[in-house]
Every structure is written in structure tokens, then in C-alpha cells.
Amino acid sequence: MIKDFYIKNMVCDRCIKVLKNEIEAQQIVIKEIELGRIQLNIQNDNELDEFEKIITSNGFEVINNVEEKITEKVKIDLIKIVSKLPLDLKENLSTHLAETMHQDYSKVSKVFSSTEGMTIEKYFIKLKIEKVKELIEAQEKNFTEISQFLDYSNMNHLSKQFKIETGMSLTDYKLLQNKGRNPLDQII
């Protein structure tokens, strides 16, 4: 039986690789795997039990609740947006999410806020700030280039938002020995 599973905290390619390897090691047939979702051909209850053990032992969680599925889909979509630089949204974020989710944005936004305790916009800012930290640590781009890559109107806008989110300036962060990035699955 082909079955879709939505997986909480599956936020990067390493997550996909780990789960793919462990699921295949149990000889469970993977039809499709992507961030936040796995489609399996489950033959029996033993395979289902093994799959659930793999998920929980790796710090993930199968999502059964409709609201949590919506929230996780939003998170995954935003992570995908921020991972492809330069950031290139053709329309505003609310329009993009409404089209991607095939739902009214106000509903998606309300569900996300009630599930996560923050707005979609605030979550997106936090993702962008983590990407800024990553780019600073890579030392390949200056602050102006980073602001342009992440579609800030100017470097001052990025600088102000970075200070609000981290409590420090871009330069202070760059000079830190132990940087302190947050894992994407722990941004709340």
C-alpha cells in the first residue's frame, strides 16, 4: 500500500540522506522522499512499525494533525526559498504561500501562528538571519552582497533586523570566535 507521511523537523538534505539510508536498510520501498515528506510502499504492520522507530530514533516525528501538516509545509517551503540564493520571490510572501499551499493565506497564517506561536513573517526573518550567519561564516561575501542576496532593500535594513534578532551587529557577529548558529529545526 502506497502511503504518504509528513515528517516534522526534516529540514535539510542530510535529513533526507539519513532517513533514506535507514529506511532502505530495512528493505522498505521508498517511492518518493523530499523535505518534510516521505512516500512509502508499506507491505505490512512490521514495516510500518520499523519506519516509525527509524523516524523517532532520529529525532523526527510523523505528523498526523492537519494543522501541523500545514505548518510543516510552510516551514519547508520557506527553507527551500532561503536555501536558493539569490533569494528570488516573484511575488510577496503571502501570495507565494497561498499559491503553493492552494489555500487562502489568512487561513494558512492563522494555523501557522496558532501552531508555532509566531507569524510566518517572523519565522521567515529568523530563517533569513540564520542564512546571513551562514554567509558571514563562509566569508565569501561582504555585508552589502549578503543583503542583496537575501533581498533586503539595503544593507541598513539587514543590519537593523540582524541586531533585533541576535542582539549584536553584523560586524560583532563576524568577529565572534564561537558563532552560535541555530539549527533550522529549532527555530521557533
Side-chain angles (χ1 to χ4, degrees):
M1 160 176 61
I2 306 278
K3 187 164 181 184
D4 271 341
F5 298 92
Y6 289 89
I7 311 298
K8 187 171 187 163
N9 298 330
M10 190 177 166
V11 296
C12 67
D13 291 338
R14 283 188 306 268
C15 297
I16 292 172
K17 183 178 180 181
V18 165
L19 290 178
K20 184 176 189 293
N21 290 341
E22 290 196 26
I23 292 167
E24 287 175 344
Q26 295 300 317
Q27 291 157 1
I28 300 170
V29 177
I30 299 173
K31 290 299 208 178
E32 192 176 342
I33 186 167
E34 62 182 356
L35 293 180
R37 189 179 72 84
I38 301 173
Q39 186 179 72
L40 302 175
N41 187 355
I42 297 286
Q43 299 299 316
N44 54 51
D45 288 342
N46 289 339
E47 285 188 355
L48 186 58
D49 291 343
E50 277 304 313
F51 169 69
E52 289 177 356
K53 283 180 197 170
I54 291 167
I55 294 299
T56 55
S57 70
N58 284 289
F60 301 105
E61 182 181 327
V62 175
I63 302 170
N64 295 314
N65 177 302
V66 173
E67 287 82 14
E68 288 182 12
K69 283 181 185 177
I70 290 170
T71 298
E72 200 66 19
K73 285 179 183 180
V74 169
K75 286 180 169 183
I76 295 302
D77 191 58
L78 297 179
I79 288 168
K80 286 177 180 177
I81 289 169
V82 172
S83 70
K84 295 176 187 154
L85 295 179
L87 200 114
D88 188 29
L89 271 176
K90 304 282 188 250
E91 65 272 320
N92 65 32
L93 190 59
S94 58
T95 304
H96 170 80
L97 286 172
E99 289 173 4
T100 302
M101 303 290 293
H102 308 290
Q103 293 188 35
D104 183 57
Y105 178 75
S106 62
K107 178 187 179 194
V108 172
S109 177
K110 187 176 181 178
V111 167
F112 188 94
S113 294
S114 69
T115 307
E116 291 300 308
M118 78 170 64
T119 65
I120 291 172
E121 292 78 10
K122 183 71 170 173
Y123 180 78
F124 191 55
I125 288 167
K126 289 182 176 292
L127 283 177
K128 286 172 66 173
I129 294 302
E130 289 307 313
K131 184 55 93 170
V132 169
K133 290 178 183 178
E134 179 185 322
L135 293 170
I136 289 171
E137 290 176 32
Q139 298 180 5
E140 295 173 0
K141 309 230 176 301
N142 64 38
F143 297 147
T144 300
E145 291 169 324
I146 291 171
S147 71
Q148 291 168 345
F149 257 56
L150 288 164
D151 202 28
Y152 282 93
S153 54
N154 57 54
M155 211 273 289
N156 290 335
H157 183 211
L158 166 60
S159 183
K160 183 178 177 183
Q161 205 167 69
F162 191 87
K163 177 89 172 177
I164 290 168
E165 289 299 317
T166 66
M168 66 181 80
S169 71
L170 293 164
T171 304
D172 289 344
Y173 183 81
K174 185 176 183 177
L175 297 173
L176 272 181
Q177 295 296 318
N178 298 320
K179 301 285 196 241
R181 288 176 40 206
N182 298 312
L184 295 182
D185 64 336
Q186 294 177 12
I187 293 177
I188 298 174

